[in-house]
């Protein structure tokens, strides 16, 4: 999705090999082999045609932006939805469905929607559809995960808490105009505002509490994008057909099929033409580069992988994170855990070298990224890890080869990892073995890798089995990390709460932060805090990788995805 920053997340979130399916680098193409680009552009466009997009996990089937929680559902939604704004190659926000003006006090944004834009059911888009989306997401009965995209609007929290019937800060000016007033001035109020209208008439008669599971969302969804849903085969595919009345122009393709395939046969599917485009795992690249009709795109994106550490739980009623789990309270322990990991070796072994060791949770693509010289580097050093453990009181008291905690009690870590391609098992075992090797007894949570959607659900519910857990995030175009790391952020899955953390994040969004240099200074200071405290263990920045059949042309890749901006211009040459 175009605002995939912190919603993928449930994600979300977490696919290290398939972040490429959710985002890409900030260039139109990456490291193409010499001559590939010219070869890819030969052949004349044919009228119509269909393409197949492959995904390697089944979608959850939630085809409404306000409710989905799966990166695979996002893959489908990108073909069938558009938002108020889009993000260009420089990660700047540009008008799409609407233009906007900002008041002198920077509190009120007035949006003017284009006239004549049609929903897939033929209804015209109006400002009332946008109002309906915002009011729905602030409703106490809303079951989706994205209230954070409306909570900054004046009065949204009061409605969410049942103290108001409507959101005070929303004014419907006329059929195509709506004014949104925020609680406070923040540099990224626009970026953090929900961008997707909802088809109000399509959802008439459906209770908000039931909307996410409704037929209108799962079987007969309605969007504004270049393609509309034709049929859904749960767990297998979603077939989309072109929307001839698309406001940017009739799509060149007849349709797109998003199809689930077994990762083990992905390269074969690209080889035989069964698949036209897909995010690929690093281990697939070498073979794909031998295929004359396949182009491999390799770009640096906005994703990273990390190991989360649990510090508490989330109080869902108050929407706050509570730090009541003390296993990782020792900073020396956390430092020992990262020194025990040979991150470069894991990149080489499990990502075919397609990644870069990272010591921050801000991708280097962003202008706020700290210089490596300003950060602790945490080189692989198991002996130093053992020294840190001993200094903190973690010692092997009973002689079994594993440390006890400073009180002399048995100490162990339950580590979780989601299921996927063959490298995931090796990666999880490498992490577990690395910690066992320094004397920290570590076992795989539940005894096996966990199905992806269940894994996300376990994180959402603070499952006790996930004391430490592997994850990946695609941060989207806004560099502000609050949605993942703020004290009370829903996707702060470690539930880490720290006064300096929140102070710096708030300062990075304050009115002072309209000074770009000041804002960068604040975020560099925040990265130094995260780098020192290690509430999560940064592992590496991911490279975004795609395999594309040369018959498919017109695909534009930037930092927020390959199917985010111009799918109506895609075409095939045979």
């Amino acid at each position: 999705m175009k605002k995939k920053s912190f919603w993928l997340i449930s994600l979300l979130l977490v696919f290290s090999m398939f972040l490429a399916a959710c985002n890409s680098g900030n260039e139109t193409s990456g490291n193409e082999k010499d001559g590939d680009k010219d070869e890819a552009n030969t052949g004349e466009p044919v009228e119509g045609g269909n393409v197949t997009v492959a995904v390697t996990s089944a979608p959850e089937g939630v085809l409404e932006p306000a409710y989905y929680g799966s990166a695979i559902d996002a893959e489908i939604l990108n073909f069938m939805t558009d938002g108020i704004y889009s993000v260009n190659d420089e990660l700047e926000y540009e008008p799409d469905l609407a233009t906007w003006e900002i008041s002198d006090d920077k509190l009120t944004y007035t949006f003017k929607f284009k006239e004549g834009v049609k929903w897939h059911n033929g209804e015209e888009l109006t400002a009332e559809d946008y109002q309906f989306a915002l009011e729905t997401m602030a409703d106490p009965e809303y079951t989706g995960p994205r209230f954070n995209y409306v909570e900054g609007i004046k009065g949204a929290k009061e409605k969410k808490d049942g103290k108001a019937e409507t959101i005070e800060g929303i004014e419907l000016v006329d059929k195509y105009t709506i004014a949104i007033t925020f609680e406070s001035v923040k540099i990224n109020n626009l970026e953090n505002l929900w961008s997707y209208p909802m088809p109000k008439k399509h959802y008439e008669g459906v209770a908000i509490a039931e909307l996410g599971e409704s037929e209108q969302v799962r079987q007969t969804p309605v969007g504004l994008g270049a393609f509309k849903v034709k049929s859904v085969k749960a767990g297998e595919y979603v077939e989309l057909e072109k929307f001839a009345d698309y406001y940017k122009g009739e799509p060149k393709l007849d349709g797109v099929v998003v199809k689930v395939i077994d990762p083990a046969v992905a390269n074969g599917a690209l080889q035989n033409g069964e698949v036209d485009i897909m995010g690929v795992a690093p281990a697939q690249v070498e073979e794909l580069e031998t295929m004359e009709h396949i182009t491999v795109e390799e770009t640096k994106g906005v994703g990273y992988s990390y190991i989360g550490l649990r510090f508490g739980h989330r109080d869902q009623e108050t929407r706050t994170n509570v730090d009541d789990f003390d296993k990782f309270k020792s900073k020396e322990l956390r430092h020992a855990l990262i020194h025990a990991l040979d991150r470069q070796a894991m990149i080489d072994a499990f990502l075919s070298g397609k990644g870069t060791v990272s010591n921050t949770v801000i991708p280097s693509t962003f202008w706020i990224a700290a210089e490596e010289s300003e950060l602790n580097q945490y080189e692989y050093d198991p002996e130093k890890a053992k020294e840190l453990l001993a200094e903190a009181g973690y010692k092997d008291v009973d002689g079994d080869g594993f440390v006890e905690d400073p009180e002399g009690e048995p100490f162990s870590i339950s580590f979780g990892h989601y299921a996927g391609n063959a490298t995931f098992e090796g990666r999880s075992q490498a992490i577990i073995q690395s910690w066992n090797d320094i004397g920290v007894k570590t076992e795989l949570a539940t005894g096996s890798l966990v199905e992806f959607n269940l894994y996300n659900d376990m994180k959402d519910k603070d499952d006790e089995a996930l004391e430490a857990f592997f994850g990946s995030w695609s941060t989207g175009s806004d560099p502000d990390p609050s949605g993942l790391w703020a004290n009370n952020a829903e996707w702060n899955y470690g539930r880490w709460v720290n006064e300096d953390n929140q102070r710096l994040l708030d300062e990075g969004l304050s009115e002072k932060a309209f000074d770009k240099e000041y804002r960068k200074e604040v975020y560099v200071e925040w990265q130094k805090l995260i780098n020192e405290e290690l509430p999560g263990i940064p592992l590496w920045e991911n490279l975004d990788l795609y395999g594309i059949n040369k018959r498919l042309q017109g695909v534009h890749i930037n930092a927020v995805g390959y199917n985010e901006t111009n799918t109506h211009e895609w075409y095939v040459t045979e």
Side-chain angles (χ1 to χ4, degrees):
M1 298 293 295
K2 300 170 185 63
K3 275 179 65 67
K4 77 173 39 64
S5 52
F6 308 122
W7 31 353
L8 286 167
I9 320 134
S10 71
L11 37 228
L12 262 235
L13 324 196
V14 282
F15 275 99
S16 73
M17 78 174 253
F18 284 111
L19 274 170
C22 308
N23 59 280
S24 182
N26 61 353
E27 300 174 351
T28 302
S29 65
N31 299 331
E32 297 174 320
K33 295 192 298 181
D34 290 345
D36 275 357
K37 191 167 186 178
D38 289 338
E39 291 176 18
N41 288 327
T42 60
E44 293 297 321
V46 299
E47 186 174 342
N50 295 274
V51 300
T52 298
V53 176
V55 294
T56 56
S57 296
E60 293 178 345
V62 183
L63 300 181
E64 163 55 55
Y67 284 86
Y68 86 96
S70 160
I72 307 303
D73 287 348
E75 194 80 3
I76 300 164
L77 284 163
N78 286 340
F79 287 103
M80 55 172 288
T81 58
D82 277 2
I84 288 177
Y85 44 76
S86 58
V87 179
N88 65 23
D89 292 356
E90 285 70 46
L91 301 181
E92 298 168 335
Y93 283 66
E94 296 181 335
D96 200 336
L97 290 172
T99 56
W100 56 87
E101 295 181 353
I102 305 172
S103 62
D104 291 340
D105 63 6
K106 300 183 178 66
L107 281 173
T108 300
Y109 289 62
T110 300
F111 296 91
K112 179 74 172 180
F113 282 87
K114 294 180 179 179
E115 299 183 22
V117 175
K118 297 292 183 66
W119 290 98
H120 292 161
N121 61 2
E123 296 287 345
E124 185 182 15
L125 169 68
T126 68
E128 192 172 357
D129 291 314
Y130 187 48
Q131 178 188 34
F132 176 70
L134 302 179
E135 295 280 2
T136 294
M137 296 168 71
D139 194 283
E141 299 297 316
Y142 169 65
T143 59
R146 296 186 176 82
F147 171 65
N148 62 302
Y149 286 107
V150 300
E151 67 178 341
I153 302 174
K154 186 176 182 181
K157 293 177 182 177
E158 285 76 6
K159 177 169 181 176
K160 186 68 173 176
D161 292 334
K163 298 176 182 178
E165 291 294 321
T166 60
I167 300 176
E168 179 185 350
I170 297 178
E171 178 189 359
L172 196 63
V173 178
D174 59 39
K175 185 176 181 180
Y176 302 106
T177 310
I178 188 171
I180 308 295
T181 299
F182 294 93
E183 286 279 4
S184 59
V185 175
K186 291 184 178 180
I187 185 68
N188 66 344
N189 269 336
L190 176 65
E191 289 86 347
N192 275 343
L193 179 65
W194 189 243
S195 171
Y196 297 92
M198 292 172 67
K200 183 177 180 180
K201 291 185 178 179
H202 181 61
Y203 293 138
E204 280 183 353
V206 182
I208 290 176
E210 300 171 0
L211 189 54
E213 299 294 328
S214 68
E215 178 183 336
Q216 287 88 334
V217 164
R218 292 179 174 265
Q219 294 296 323
T220 60
V222 164
L224 295 161
F227 295 89
K228 60 183 181 179
V229 171
K230 181 178 181 181
S231 64
V232 176
K233 179 70 170 178
E236 296 185 21
Y237 65 83
V238 174
E239 182 181 7
L240 303 109
E241 59 185 346
K242 73 175 179 181
F243 181 46
D245 291 330
Y246 182 52
Y247 69 101
K248 292 181 182 178
E250 182 176 350
K252 296 178 180 178
L253 293 174
D254 286 333
V256 174
V257 175
V258 180
K259 180 180 180 181
V260 182
I261 67 168
D262 185 332
V265 301
N267 278 18
L270 282 164
Q271 172 74 62
N272 64 26
E274 178 185 349
V275 168
D276 294 294
I277 183 171
M278 68 178 295
V280 298
Q284 296 175 251
V285 171
E286 184 176 0
E287 181 182 1
L288 290 176
E289 288 181 334
T290 67
M291 301 179 189
E292 292 185 359
H293 66 293
I294 300 297
T295 296
V296 176
E297 299 282 357
E298 176 182 310
T299 62
K300 194 169 186 177
V302 289
Y304 64 87
S305 295
Y306 75 114
I307 296 173
L309 304 174
R310 185 155 68 88
F311 291 87
H313 77 282
R314 183 167 182 81
D315 186 325
Q316 295 295 346
E317 288 190 8
T318 61
R319 301 188 297 278
T320 59
N321 295 327
V322 182
D323 57 343
D324 58 358
F325 186 71
D326 293 336
K327 175 158 285 188
F328 299 105
K329 66 179 180 181
S330 167
K331 184 168 69 172
E332 290 80 8
L333 169 64
R334 302 194 298 271
H335 283 203
L337 293 178
I338 192 170
H339 277 297
L341 300 174
D342 190 341
R343 292 176 290 168
Q344 184 60 55
M346 285 193 282
I347 291 171
D348 294 339
F350 305 118
L351 296 174
S352 299
K354 304 296 187 181
T356 305
V357 170
S358 178
N359 293 293
T360 176
V361 293
I362 298 293
S364 58
T365 306
F366 288 121
W367 57 274
I368 66 167
E371 297 292 336
E372 285 295 324
S373 61
E374 299 181 276
L375 303 172
N376 299 326
Q377 293 301 293
Y378 297 113
E379 301 291 347
Y380 171 56
D381 191 341
E383 293 307 313
K384 182 172 184 177
K386 293 176 183 178
E387 292 173 6
L388 287 167
L389 289 173
E391 290 171 8
Y394 292 85
K395 299 179 180 179
D396 180 8
V397 176
D398 59 12
D400 67 349
F402 296 109
V403 300
E404 277 70 42
D405 70 17
E407 285 72 44
E409 298 297 322
F411 184 83
S412 64
I413 296 174
S414 177
F415 172 75
H417 197 299
Y418 50 91
N421 78 78
T423 65
F424 291 6
E425 181 73 38
R427 183 169 65 194
S428 63
Q429 290 302 321
I431 293 168
I432 290 170
Q433 188 61 52
S434 295
W435 289 350
N436 281 327
D437 286 345
I438 63 167
V440 176
K441 186 176 182 179
T442 307
E443 298 174 325
L444 188 61
T446 75
S448 63
L449 303 187
V450 182
E451 188 274 328
F452 180 66
N453 293 323
L454 174 59
Y455 186 78
N456 290 328
D457 188 58
M458 291 172 69
K459 289 194 300 176
D460 286 335
K461 296 177 180 177
D462 301 312
D463 193 296
E464 292 182 359
L466 299 184
E467 295 177 343
F469 49 89
F470 185 93
S472 294
W473 285 109
S474 170
T475 66
S477 55
D478 180 14
D480 169 41
S482 298
L484 299 177
W485 293 101
N487 283 359
N488 291 318
E490 185 170 358
W491 287 301
N492 173 357
Y493 281 129
R495 313 309 182 196
W496 181 64
V497 177
N498 177 282
E499 182 178 346
D500 287 334
N501 172 58
Q502 194 59 52
R503 173 182 60 81
L504 289 169
L505 290 176
D506 289 343
E507 193 66 20
L509 298 176
S510 68
E511 194 161 359
K512 290 183 184 178
F514 280 83
D515 180 334
K516 190 172 181 179
E517 290 304 315
Y518 174 80
R519 191 183 187 201
K520 179 171 183 177
E521 289 175 6
V522 170
Y523 282 135
V524 169
E525 185 178 350
W526 179 82
Q527 288 169 81
K528 290 179 179 179
L529 173 71
I530 295 294
N531 174 254
E532 175 64 25
E533 293 297 325
L534 290 182
I537 298 175
L539 296 174
W540 49 72
E541 287 189 34
N542 304 79
L543 285 176
D544 301 333
L545 304 165
Y546 302 92
I548 306 175
N549 191 316
K550 292 177 182 177
R551 71 183 285 268
L552 172 60
Q553 294 295 303
V555 178
H556 179 76
I557 299 172
N558 69 12
V560 290
Y562 72 88
N563 62 347
E564 296 272 350
T565 58
N566 74 327
T567 56
H568 66 295
E569 296 177 340
W570 288 15
Y571 64 91
V572 292
T573 57
E574 60 181 56

